[in-house]
Amino acid sequence: MTTDDDDAPSLWQRINAYHDELFMAPWRAGIARQARNEEEILVALLFLEALGIPGPADYYALELYPDLVEAFHRWHQRMGMDTFPEAGVCC
Amino acid sequence: MPAFYLIVITLGAFYLGYRFYSKYLAERVYALDPNFKTPANELADGVDFVPTNKHILLGHHFTAVAGAAPIVGPAIAVYWGWLPAIAWVILGTVFGAGVHDFGAIVTSARNRGQNIGTLSGKVISARASTLFLLIIFFLLTLVNAVFGVVMAILFEAHPGSVIPAVIVIPIAMCIGQWVYRMRGAVLIPSIIGLVLLYAAIPVGQMFPIHVDGLADMLGLSVRTTWVILIFAYTWVASRLPVWLLLQPRDYINGQQLLVALAVIFTGVVVGWDTITAPAVNDVAEGTKHWFPYLFITIACGAISGFHSLVASGTTSKQIANETDARYIGYGGAMGEGALALAAILACTAGLGSAADWNTAYASFGAASGGALDHFVTGVGHFLSNIGIDAALGASFAVVVVVTFAGTTMDTGVRLQRYILEEIAELAGFKALVGKTSLLTTLAVLIPLALALVPGGDSSGGKGFAFGQLWTLFGTTNQLTAGLALSVISVWVMARNRNPLAAIVPLTFLLFMTSWALILNLLDFLAQGSWMLLIMDAGIFVLTAWLIVEAVTALNRQRRTA
């Protein structure tokens, strides 16, 4: 049986969390932006077919699609399209 | 006078400034409201806008604004004696930097976390955005030029520090890999990294790195060779992902900064060193006079416009409660003032007898060219007070300065890339837009050309115009502060509060900067230093432009009120 006290983070865990935040806070935005740029390139390459351009790697990348549909949805919204016009892609 | 007294006086003045003046600013000038919903809460997106614990944010803000500049500026400025230097650090911090940094956070937070560039376009005039872009272009060019020279000077004079300074790079990259690839916590690897870094200091002493052979092969001086190698490294570093090197190294810098401050102050107290340097130095006729040069030589450490970029760029987007702005903005400015105090102590009490000091600071050229050496020697002396070998202590100080300078250049080149792209777009040079490699090359070559400008005097500059470049860097820094203070003044006036707290430092800075630029202009003309002359003239035009914009905006606001 666990109590609330058992679930509470230990002093060591709290120090670690505090320290990690000190490490992350200054660069959080910059790194998230860089990660988003990388994701955008990947999404654009994998969804070439949906954009009307034949994608040479489409067959090999098929199993990635379910994982990247959400990313593709965010991407076309950032690009200014609230809903993607092609049926059956994401929205 | 015992150096300890100077610590007590300075920190005492900072305490009074925080206790009373920042309270006045918080209540009467910025009118902080604990119920105001900050952008971090209103626009929380987990990326830019994240409510952050105020102590963590102070640590982040302080390490972002502090760097090598609050060390180099005071290390040069004690040439005029320790009294003018410390007086400017105290008054500048309490009545300048505190108002400026604190105000930049509040103004930005009250405008959905917009940065000073966007705010100047909104609060002053549409033209002010372009002015901001140009000021930042000059600022970054000079930042990269001076820090390239700083690193070259240190590597040439202290070849034993090259290995520990370089080993920071793989240590930082390992921490980056550990955190982002292995998803591990940072605390233990960062302690291991620190131990490895300090272990590399004696190794570096055993295996000093010289580039004389390469310099001979290229037909260049050792220092020029180092400058070129450093800029080549910066080109590569600025192309790497932020998480891989820049972030973990920036974090190591923060650790170094705290360790350096702790050992310097402990060394002063344990050794009970006295300041034998003159309070006011009688400089020779025809040498740069402290009035107005002191106010641009010490920018970071007294008041620096660079802080407004951090305050409005990231800090304002993360404050959880508006009342935290006082603790973070004013507190961060005091932290940087404390670093400037440490540099002043190292370059006065740390240098030994009055005769030693007079030799080290024989001329302005010796003061500027040898500033880093003086700081490093002083820190070595303080560390010897607590039982650490002075040579190892000096190597530690070199590593502190070099890691700061390296990170500043890396960030500077990245930012300059964006600025150049924006200027190219405005000027219609479409060929440059989106060309990251070309933009990085330009961002490296422009300051490299400036860093290699011959000049200085034979006593300290060793062929480089370091002293002149530093004063130019100071003017751009103060111009940026001027722009931020203009925004703060107009914003405060628009709320029918007394704007004098911001207008007085604004007027003071613009007057001193203009005066120093005119004196520099005459100097460069007499010396025939055309490249420096063009830079100086360009900055002077921007100063005149800023004065017109500031006066117009304040008048407009006065009529509206």
Side-chain angles (χ1 to χ4, degrees):
Chain A
M1 195 179 86
T2 58
T3 64
D4 281 355
D5 282 348
D6 293 332
D7 293 338
S10 66
L11 179 64
W12 175 247
Q13 283 170 325
R14 274 185 289 150
I15 291 172
N16 253 317
Y18 188 84
H19 188 263
D20 280 1
E21 179 63 12
L22 206 59
F23 180 82
M24 296 293 179
W27 294 97
R28 192 187 284 116
I31 288 171
R33 216 168 283 124
Q34 254 183 10
R36 196 170 67 187
N37 288 346
E38 283 177 18
E39 187 189 89
E40 278 183 357
I41 293 169
L42 179 69
V43 165
L45 283 173
L46 290 179
F47 285 83
L48 279 175
E49 200 85 38
L51 298 166
I53 306 162
D58 281 357
Y59 175 77
Y60 306 97
L62 272 176
E63 60 188 274
L64 291 175
Y65 281 21
D67 292 326
L68 284 161
V69 163
E70 272 302 310
F72 181 73
H73 184 62
R74 288 195 301 270
W75 175 76
H76 76 66
Q77 285 191 325
R78 276 202 302 278
M79 296 301 124
M81 280 182 280
D82 283 342
T83 52
F84 193 67
E86 191 71 33
V89 179
C90 56
C91 45
Chain B
M1 182 176 89
F4 179 68
Y5 292 174
L6 209 56
I7 298 179
V8 174
I9 293 167
T10 310
L11 298 186
F14 288 173
Y15 169 75
L16 293 176
Y18 186 81
R19 177 78 181 74
F20 299 106
Y21 194 53
S22 79
K23 187 168 184 276
Y24 161 77
L25 294 172
E27 288 172 359
R28 308 288 292 275
V29 181
Y30 302 135
L32 301 185
D33 175 7
N35 299 316
F36 171 71
K37 203 168 182 188
T38 62
N41 292 303
E42 193 188 351
L43 308 167
D45 62 358
V47 178
D48 288 300
F49 300 92
V50 182
T52 306
N53 175 296
K54 71 174 181 179
H55 305 297
I56 287 175
L57 201 50
L58 173 67
H60 152 213
H61 181 82
F62 173 48
T63 52
V65 297
I71 294 171
V72 183
I76 297 174
V78 290
Y79 168 65
W80 295 294
W82 60 264
L83 187 60
I86 199 66
W88 170 229
V89 166
I90 293 174
L91 294 173
T93 300
V94 173
F95 298 107
V99 178
H100 170 272
D101 299 12
F102 182 5
I105 296 176
V106 176
T107 316
S108 169
R110 285 276 171 169
N111 285 277
R112 297 170 66 85
Q114 289 175 324
N115 66 34
I116 283 295
T118 312
L119 284 176
S120 55
K122 197 167 136 184
V123 176
I124 298 178
S125 75
R127 288 183 309 268
S129 296
T130 313
L131 173 63
F132 172 77
L133 208 62
L134 294 172
I135 291 174
I136 298 301
F137 169 78
F138 278 93
L139 176 70
L140 292 173
T141 301
L142 284 156
V143 161
N144 292 328
V146 291
F147 286 120
V149 179
V150 160
M151 288 168 78
I153 289 173
L154 287 172
F155 281 159
E156 187 191 11
H158 302 271
S161 66
V162 177
I163 286 182
V166 170
I167 213 147
V168 173
I169 298 167
I171 290 175
M173 289 171 103
C174 287
I175 293 177
Q177 289 285 340
W178 170 256
V179 173
Y180 287 103
R181 294 251 189 250
M182 321 290 278
R183 310 272 167 200
V186 200
L187 186 56
I188 298 293
S190 74
I191 293 171
I192 296 171
L194 209 58
V195 171
L196 286 175
L197 172 60
Y198 292 150
I201 292 177
V203 176
Q205 293 291 313
M206 283 187 271
F207 303 102
I209 304 291
H210 298 275
V211 292
D212 303 51
L214 180 64
D216 285 344
M217 204 171 77
L218 297 171
L220 300 169
S221 72
V222 171
R223 193 172 287 183
T224 305
T225 308
W226 270 123
V227 168
I228 292 170
L229 286 174
I230 288 159
F231 274 96
Y233 152 76
T234 307
W235 191 95
V236 177
S238 67
R239 300 297 312 274
L240 295 175
V242 168
W243 65 268
L244 185 60
L245 176 61
L246 187 56
Q247 180 193 19
R249 198 177 54 184
D250 185 42
Y251 172 76
I252 292 172
N253 289 349
Q255 289 177 319
Q256 297 292 318
L257 176 64
L258 297 178
V259 173
L261 279 173
V263 297
I264 290 173
F265 289 131
T266 310
V268 171
V269 176
V270 172
W272 204 256
D273 292 298
T274 51
I275 299 177
T276 51
V280 179
N281 191 20
D282 250 346
V283 298
E285 192 71 29
T287 319
K288 285 185 194 303
H289 196 264
W290 68 271
F291 203 83
Y293 280 107
L294 171 67
F295 307 106
I296 52 162
T297 303
I298 304 181
C300 297
I303 174 169
S304 152
F306 174 73
H307 296 195
S308 68
L309 306 182
V310 177
S312 66
T314 50
T315 309
S316 65
K317 297 177 177 70
Q318 299 186 68
I319 56 164
N321 190 307
E322 197 182 36
T323 52
D324 295 349
R326 176 186 172 198
Y327 175 69
I328 297 159
Y330 209 92
M334 290 193 319
E336 180 147 286
L339 185 57
L341 164 68
I344 290 171
L345 291 172
C347 297
T348 51
L351 289 190
S353 68
D356 291 336
W357 190 88
N358 282 327
T359 311
Y361 284 90
S363 67
F364 186 74
S368 54
L372 274 314
D373 246 350
H374 305 151
F375 172 74
V376 162
T377 310
V379 174
H381 170 76
F382 293 145
L383 261 78
S384 72
N385 287 347
I386 50 175
I388 297 168
D389 179 63
L392 292 180
S395 205
F396 160 75
V398 173
V399 173
V400 172
V401 178
V402 165
T403 47
F404 266 125
T407 305
T408 306
M409 284 182 76
D410 187 348
T411 318
V413 168
R414 283 168 199 265
L415 290 173
Q416 189 69 303
R417 210 158 56 201
Y418 300 129
I419 299 289
L420 280 171
E421 193 169 19
E422 226 169 301
I423 292 175
E425 265 189 299
L426 277 175
F429 292 125
K430 300 285 178 207
L432 274 179
V433 179
K435 305 282 194 308
T436 310
S437 293
L438 186 59
L439 288 164
T440 309
T441 308
L442 277 176
V444 164
L445 286 181
I446 298 169
L448 174 63
L450 207 57
L452 295 178
V453 167
D457 68 22
S458 54
S459 52
K462 291 188 184 165
F464 284 122
F466 181 66
Q468 291 92 323
L469 283 175
W470 186 264
T471 54
L472 283 180
F473 162 60
T475 56
T476 54
N477 214 338
Q478 303 304 41
L479 264 190
T480 315
L483 189 63
L485 284 169
S486 306
V487 170
I488 296 166
S489 306
V490 175
W491 183 81
V492 170
M493 261 178 114
R495 273 140 199 86
N496 294 320
R497 296 182 212 131
N498 189 345
L500 272 182
I503 289 181
V504 171
L506 166 67
T507 314
F508 181 80
L509 280 188
L510 289 181
F511 176 70
M512 290 301 168
T513 305
S514 313
W515 190 359
L517 281 166
I518 292 169
L519 293 179
N520 264 349
L521 205 68
L522 298 174
D523 266 0
F524 297 149
L525 199 63
Q527 293 160 7
S529 304
W530 302 113
M531 195 149 168
L532 296 177
L533 183 80
I534 292 166
M535 285 296 282
D536 192 279
I539 300 166
F540 185 71
V541 169
L542 297 181
T543 313
W545 183 358
L546 174 58
I547 292 171
V548 172
E549 293 289 354
V551 170
T552 313
L554 287 168
N555 263 334
R556 191 176 52 231
Q557 195 55 54
R558 194 168 51 89
R559 281 197 302 269
T560 315

PDB file of all heavy atoms in Angstrom, chain A residues 30-55:
ATOM      1  N   GLY A  30      14.561  28.206 -27.774  1.00  0.00           N
ATOM      2  CA  GLY A  30      15.463  28.037 -28.923  1.00  0.00           C
ATOM      3  C   GLY A  30      15.493  26.596 -29.394  1.00  0.00           C
ATOM      4  O   GLY A  30      15.441  26.315 -30.600  1.00  0.00           O
ATOM      5  N   ILE A  31      15.570  25.677 -28.438  1.00  0.00           N
ATOM      6  CA  ILE A  31      15.663  24.260 -28.795  1.00  0.00           C
ATOM      7  C   ILE A  31      14.338  23.759 -29.367  1.00  0.00           C
ATOM      8  O   ILE A  31      14.318  23.029 -30.357  1.00  0.00           O
ATOM      9  CB  ILE A  31      16.123  23.435 -27.576  1.00  0.00           C
ATOM     10  CG1 ILE A  31      17.604  23.745 -27.347  1.00  0.00           C
ATOM     11  CG2 ILE A  31      15.919  21.947 -27.793  1.00  0.00           C
ATOM     12  CD1 ILE A  31      18.169  23.207 -26.092  1.00  0.00           C
ATOM     13  N   ALA A  32      13.229  24.195 -28.773  1.00  0.00           N
ATOM     14  CA  ALA A  32      11.920  23.777 -29.293  1.00  0.00           C
ATOM     15  C   ALA A  32      11.745  24.274 -30.726  1.00  0.00           C
ATOM     16  O   ALA A  32      11.222  23.568 -31.582  1.00  0.00           O
ATOM     17  CB  ALA A  32      10.811  24.324 -28.406  1.00  0.00           C
ATOM     18  N   ARG A  33      12.231  25.484 -30.988  1.00  0.00           N
ATOM     19  CA  ARG A  33      12.102  26.047 -32.338  1.00  0.00           C
ATOM     20  C   ARG A  33      12.946  25.248 -33.334  1.00  0.00           C
ATOM     21  O   ARG A  33      12.510  24.941 -34.433  1.00  0.00           O
ATOM     22  CB  ARG A  33      12.543  27.518 -32.309  1.00  0.00           C
ATOM     23  CG  ARG A  33      11.698  28.371 -33.240  1.00  0.00           C
ATOM     24  CD  ARG A  33      11.912  29.843 -33.007  1.00  0.00           C
ATOM     25  NE  ARG A  33      11.219  30.308 -31.821  1.00  0.00           N
ATOM     26  CZ  ARG A  33      11.797  30.929 -30.811  1.00  0.00           C
ATOM     27  NH1 ARG A  33      13.083  31.152 -30.819  1.00  0.00           N
ATOM     28  NH2 ARG A  33      11.098  31.324 -29.776  1.00  0.00           N
ATOM     29  N   GLN A  34      14.176  24.897 -32.894  1.00  0.00           N
ATOM     30  CA  GLN A  34      15.043  24.099 -33.781  1.00  0.00           C
ATOM     31  C   GLN A  34      14.423  22.733 -34.049  1.00  0.00           C
ATOM     32  O   GLN A  34      14.448  22.241 -35.176  1.00  0.00           O
ATOM     33  CB  GLN A  34      16.410  23.922 -33.136  1.00  0.00           C
ATOM     34  CG  GLN A  34      17.450  24.783 -33.803  1.00  0.00           C
ATOM     35  CD  GLN A  34      18.837  24.569 -33.235  1.00  0.00           C
ATOM     36  OE1 GLN A  34      19.093  23.663 -32.457  1.00  0.00           O
ATOM     37  NE2 GLN A  34      19.746  25.430 -33.642  1.00  0.00           N
ATOM     38  N   ALA A  35      13.855  22.113 -32.994  1.00  0.00           N
ATOM     39  CA  ALA A  35      13.238  20.794 -33.159  1.00  0.00           C
ATOM     40  C   ALA A  35      12.054  20.897 -34.121  1.00  0.00           C
ATOM     41  O   ALA A  35      11.847  20.022 -34.959  1.00  0.00           O
ATOM     42  CB  ALA A  35      12.776  20.266 -31.804  1.00  0.00           C
ATOM     43  N   ARG A  36      11.307  21.994 -34.020  1.00  0.00           N
ATOM     44  CA  ARG A  36      10.154  22.180 -34.897  1.00  0.00           C
ATOM     45  C   ARG A  36      10.595  22.335 -36.355  1.00  0.00           C
ATOM     46  O   ARG A  36       9.983  21.782 -37.263  1.00  0.00           O
ATOM     47  CB  ARG A  36       9.359  23.410 -34.455  1.00  0.00           C
ATOM     48  CG  ARG A  36       7.973  23.440 -35.053  1.00  0.00           C
ATOM     49  CD  ARG A  36       7.135  24.519 -34.431  1.00  0.00           C
ATOM     50  NE  ARG A  36       7.637  25.843 -34.773  1.00  0.00           N
ATOM     51  CZ  ARG A  36       7.157  26.963 -34.247  1.00  0.00           C
ATOM     52  NH1 ARG A  36       6.210  26.913 -33.347  1.00  0.00           N
ATOM     53  NH2 ARG A  36       7.630  28.132 -34.604  1.00  0.00           N
ATOM     54  N   ASN A  37      11.711  23.057 -36.568  1.00  0.00           N
ATOM     55  CA  ASN A  37      12.230  23.208 -37.940  1.00  0.00           C
ATOM     56  C   ASN A  37      12.593  21.856 -38.525  1.00  0.00           C
ATOM     57  O   ASN A  37      12.308  21.561 -39.685  1.00  0.00           O
ATOM     58  CB  ASN A  37      13.474  24.109 -37.946  1.00  0.00           C
ATOM     59  CG  ASN A  37      13.110  25.547 -37.691  1.00  0.00           C
ATOM     60  OD1 ASN A  37      11.944  25.917 -37.759  1.00  0.00           O
ATOM     61  ND2 ASN A  37      14.099  26.359 -37.366  1.00  0.00           N
ATOM     62  N   GLU A  38      13.250  21.013 -37.687  1.00  0.00           N
ATOM     63  CA  GLU A  38      13.642  19.686 -38.179  1.00  0.00           C
ATOM     64  C   GLU A  38      12.410  18.849 -38.491  1.00  0.00           C
ATOM     65  O   GLU A  38      12.349  18.153 -39.497  1.00  0.00           O
ATOM     66  CB  GLU A  38      14.521  18.977 -37.145  1.00  0.00           C
ATOM     67  CG  GLU A  38      15.942  19.510 -37.151  1.00  0.00           C
ATOM     68  CD  GLU A  38      16.808  18.881 -36.079  1.00  0.00           C
ATOM     69  OE1 GLU A  38      16.431  17.820 -35.568  1.00  0.00           O
ATOM     70  OE2 GLU A  38      17.853  19.468 -35.760  1.00  0.00           O
ATOM     71  N   GLU A  39      11.415  18.950 -37.592  1.00  0.00           N
ATOM     72  CA  GLU A  39      10.193  18.178 -37.791  1.00  0.00           C
ATOM     73  C   GLU A  39       9.489  18.624 -39.069  1.00  0.00           C
ATOM     74  O   GLU A  39       8.965  17.804 -39.818  1.00  0.00           O
ATOM     75  CB  GLU A  39       9.259  18.376 -36.590  1.00  0.00           C
ATOM     76  CG  GLU A  39       8.043  17.475 -36.622  1.00  0.00           C
ATOM     77  CD  GLU A  39       7.038  17.848 -35.549  1.00  0.00           C
ATOM     78  OE1 GLU A  39       6.159  18.703 -35.806  1.00  0.00           O
ATOM     79  OE2 GLU A  39       7.130  17.290 -34.462  1.00  0.00           O
ATOM     80  N   GLU A  40       9.537  19.920 -39.342  1.00  0.00           N
ATOM     81  CA  GLU A  40       8.864  20.446 -40.540  1.00  0.00           C
ATOM     82  C   GLU A  40       9.474  19.884 -41.813  1.00  0.00           C
ATOM     83  O   GLU A  40       8.765  19.535 -42.756  1.00  0.00           O
ATOM     84  CB  GLU A  40       8.927  21.973 -40.548  1.00  0.00           C
ATOM     85  CG  GLU A  40       7.842  22.547 -39.683  1.00  0.00           C
ATOM     86  CD  GLU A  40       7.792  24.062 -39.682  1.00  0.00           C
ATOM     87  OE1 GLU A  40       8.653  24.699 -40.333  1.00  0.00           O
ATOM     88  OE2 GLU A  40       6.907  24.581 -39.015  1.00  0.00           O
ATOM     89  N   ILE A  41      10.798  19.769 -41.815  1.00  0.00           N
ATOM     90  CA  ILE A  41      11.461  19.221 -43.006  1.00  0.00           C
ATOM     91  C   ILE A  41      11.058  17.754 -43.189  1.00  0.00           C
ATOM     92  O   ILE A  41      10.713  17.315 -44.289  1.00  0.00           O
ATOM     93  CB  ILE A  41      12.994  19.363 -42.880  1.00  0.00           C
ATOM     94  CG1 ILE A  41      13.369  20.850 -42.927  1.00  0.00           C
ATOM     95  CG2 ILE A  41      13.715  18.621 -43.995  1.00  0.00           C
ATOM     96  CD1 ILE A  41      14.785  21.151 -42.563  1.00  0.00           C
ATOM     97  N   LEU A  42      11.062  17.005 -42.075  1.00  0.00           N
ATOM     98  CA  LEU A  42      10.697  15.588 -42.138  1.00  0.00           C
ATOM     99  C   LEU A  42       9.258  15.419 -42.628  1.00  0.00           C
ATOM    100  O   LEU A  42       8.976  14.621 -43.535  1.00  0.00           O
ATOM    101  CB  LEU A  42      10.869  14.959 -40.750  1.00  0.00           C
ATOM    102  CG  LEU A  42      10.508  13.478 -40.645  1.00  0.00           C
ATOM    103  CD1 LEU A  42      11.527  12.632 -41.421  1.00  0.00           C
ATOM    104  CD2 LEU A  42      10.473  13.022 -39.194  1.00  0.00           C
ATOM    105  N   VAL A  43       8.359  16.224 -42.044  1.00  0.00           N
ATOM    106  CA  VAL A  43       6.943  16.132 -42.416  1.00  0.00           C
ATOM    107  C   VAL A  43       6.757  16.485 -43.892  1.00  0.00           C
ATOM    108  O   VAL A  43       6.071  15.781 -44.639  1.00  0.00           O
ATOM    109  CB  VAL A  43       6.099  17.062 -41.511  1.00  0.00           C
ATOM    110  CG1 VAL A  43       4.711  17.282 -42.086  1.00  0.00           C
ATOM    111  CG2 VAL A  43       6.000  16.473 -40.122  1.00  0.00           C
ATOM    112  N   ALA A  44       7.409  17.552 -44.321  1.00  0.00           N
ATOM    113  CA  ALA A  44       7.265  17.970 -45.719  1.00  0.00           C
ATOM    114  C   ALA A  44       7.758  16.869 -46.659  1.00  0.00           C
ATOM    115  O   ALA A  44       7.150  16.595 -47.694  1.00  0.00           O
ATOM    116  CB  ALA A  44       8.045  19.258 -45.949  1.00  0.00           C
ATOM    117  N   LEU A  45       8.866  16.211 -46.290  1.00  0.00           N
ATOM    118  CA  LEU A  45       9.415  15.151 -47.147  1.00  0.00           C
ATOM    119  C   LEU A  45       8.483  13.937 -47.177  1.00  0.00           C
ATOM    120  O   LEU A  45       8.240  13.360 -48.241  1.00  0.00           O
ATOM    121  CB  LEU A  45      10.790  14.723 -46.636  1.00  0.00           C
ATOM    122  CG  LEU A  45      11.936  15.677 -46.960  1.00  0.00           C
ATOM    123  CD1 LEU A  45      13.204  15.228 -46.248  1.00  0.00           C
ATOM    124  CD2 LEU A  45      12.178  15.725 -48.463  1.00  0.00           C
ATOM    125  N   LEU A  46       7.958  13.560 -46.012  1.00  0.00           N
ATOM    126  CA  LEU A  46       7.144  12.345 -45.939  1.00  0.00           C
ATOM    127  C   LEU A  46       5.759  12.530 -46.552  1.00  0.00           C
ATOM    128  O   LEU A  46       5.145  11.579 -47.009  1.00  0.00           O
ATOM    129  CB  LEU A  46       7.009  11.885 -44.485  1.00  0.00           C
ATOM    130  CG  LEU A  46       8.287  11.337 -43.873  1.00  0.00           C
ATOM    131  CD1 LEU A  46       8.051  10.926 -42.435  1.00  0.00           C
ATOM    132  CD2 LEU A  46       8.794  10.138 -44.659  1.00  0.00           C
ATOM    133  N   PHE A  47       5.268  13.767 -46.545  1.00  0.00           N
ATOM    134  CA  PHE A  47       3.918  13.995 -47.051  1.00  0.00           C
ATOM    135  C   PHE A  47       3.916  14.645 -48.435  1.00  0.00           C
ATOM    136  O   PHE A  47       2.980  15.326 -48.806  1.00  0.00           O
ATOM    137  CB  PHE A  47       3.119  14.834 -46.045  1.00  0.00           C
ATOM    138  CG  PHE A  47       2.680  14.038 -44.843  1.00  0.00           C
ATOM    139  CD1 PHE A  47       3.540  13.831 -43.786  1.00  0.00           C
ATOM    140  CD2 PHE A  47       1.410  13.477 -44.779  1.00  0.00           C
ATOM    141  CE1 PHE A  47       3.158  13.088 -42.688  1.00  0.00           C
ATOM    142  CE2 PHE A  47       1.021  12.739 -43.675  1.00  0.00           C
ATOM    143  CZ  PHE A  47       1.898  12.539 -42.623  1.00  0.00           C
ATOM    144  N   LEU A  48       4.995  14.415 -49.176  1.00  0.00           N
ATOM    145  CA  LEU A  48       5.084  14.988 -50.526  1.00  0.00           C
ATOM    146  C   LEU A  48       3.871  14.572 -51.364  1.00  0.00           C
ATOM    147  O   LEU A  48       3.294  15.369 -52.097  1.00  0.00           O
ATOM    148  CB  LEU A  48       6.366  14.488 -51.206  1.00  0.00           C
ATOM    149  CG  LEU A  48       7.668  15.208 -50.841  1.00  0.00           C
ATOM    150  CD1 LEU A  48       8.850  14.521 -51.499  1.00  0.00           C
ATOM    151  CD2 LEU A  48       7.623  16.661 -51.242  1.00  0.00           C
ATOM    152  N   GLU A  49       3.500  13.304 -51.246  1.00  0.00           N
ATOM    153  CA  GLU A  49       2.394  12.753 -52.040  1.00  0.00           C
ATOM    154  C   GLU A  49       1.113  13.553 -51.788  1.00  0.00           C
ATOM    155  O   GLU A  49       0.396  13.881 -52.721  1.00  0.00           O
ATOM    156  CB  GLU A  49       2.184  11.293 -51.633  1.00  0.00           C
ATOM    157  CG  GLU A  49       1.436  10.473 -52.655  1.00  0.00           C
ATOM    158  CD  GLU A  49       2.361   9.902 -53.727  1.00  0.00           C
ATOM    159  OE1 GLU A  49       3.492   9.505 -53.412  1.00  0.00           O
ATOM    160  OE2 GLU A  49       1.926   9.863 -54.881  1.00  0.00           O
ATOM    161  N   ALA A  50       0.860  13.856 -50.509  1.00  0.00           N
ATOM    162  CA  ALA A  50      -0.347  14.611 -50.155  1.00  0.00           C
ATOM    163  C   ALA A  50      -0.324  16.012 -50.749  1.00  0.00           C
ATOM    164  O   ALA A  50      -1.361  16.644 -50.932  1.00  0.00           O
ATOM    165  CB  ALA A  50      -0.471  14.696 -48.638  1.00  0.00           C
ATOM    166  N   LEU A  51       0.893  16.493 -51.019  1.00  0.00           N
ATOM    167  CA  LEU A  51       1.020  17.840 -51.592  1.00  0.00           C
ATOM    168  C   LEU A  51       1.021  17.788 -53.126  1.00  0.00           C
ATOM    169  O   LEU A  51       1.237  18.794 -53.789  1.00  0.00           O
ATOM    170  CB  LEU A  51       2.312  18.493 -51.095  1.00  0.00           C
ATOM    171  CG  LEU A  51       2.405  18.716 -49.582  1.00  0.00           C
ATOM    172  CD1 LEU A  51       3.827  19.050 -49.167  1.00  0.00           C
ATOM    173  CD2 LEU A  51       1.469  19.843 -49.158  1.00  0.00           C
ATOM    174  N   GLY A  52       0.849  16.572 -53.660  1.00  0.00           N
ATOM    175  CA  GLY A  52       0.773  16.444 -55.118  1.00  0.00           C
ATOM    176  C   GLY A  52       2.113  16.208 -55.781  1.00  0.00           C
ATOM    177  O   GLY A  52       2.255  16.306 -56.990  1.00  0.00           O
ATOM    178  N   ILE A  53       3.148  15.936 -54.982  1.00  0.00           N
ATOM    179  CA  ILE A  53       4.486  15.693 -55.552  1.00  0.00           C
ATOM    180  C   ILE A  53       4.852  14.228 -55.271  1.00  0.00           C
ATOM    181  O   ILE A  53       4.734  13.784 -54.129  1.00  0.00           O
ATOM    182  CB  ILE A  53       5.544  16.617 -54.899  1.00  0.00           C
ATOM    183  CG1 ILE A  53       5.103  18.076 -55.000  1.00  0.00           C
ATOM    184  CG2 ILE A  53       6.927  16.431 -55.535  1.00  0.00           C
ATOM    185  CD1 ILE A  53       5.822  19.001 -54.056  1.00  0.00           C
ATOM    186  N   PRO A  54       5.265  13.467 -56.278  1.00  0.00           N
ATOM    187  CA  PRO A  54       5.621  12.070 -56.026  1.00  0.00           C
ATOM    188  C   PRO A  54       6.780  11.964 -55.041  1.00  0.00           C
ATOM    189  O   PRO A  54       7.795  12.647 -55.187  1.00  0.00           O
ATOM    190  CB  PRO A  54       6.036  11.536 -57.407  1.00  0.00           C
ATOM    191  CG  PRO A  54       5.631  12.566 -58.387  1.00  0.00           C
ATOM    192  CD  PRO A  54       5.466  13.860 -57.677  1.00  0.00           C
ATOM    193  N   GLY A  55       6.623  11.163 -53.995  1.00  0.00           N
ATOM    194  CA  GLY A  55       7.687  11.013 -52.986  1.00  0.00           C
ATOM    195  C   GLY A  55       8.415   9.692 -53.178  1.00  0.00           C
ATOM    196  O   GLY A  55       7.798   8.633 -53.038  1.00  0.00           O
TER     197      GLY A  55
END
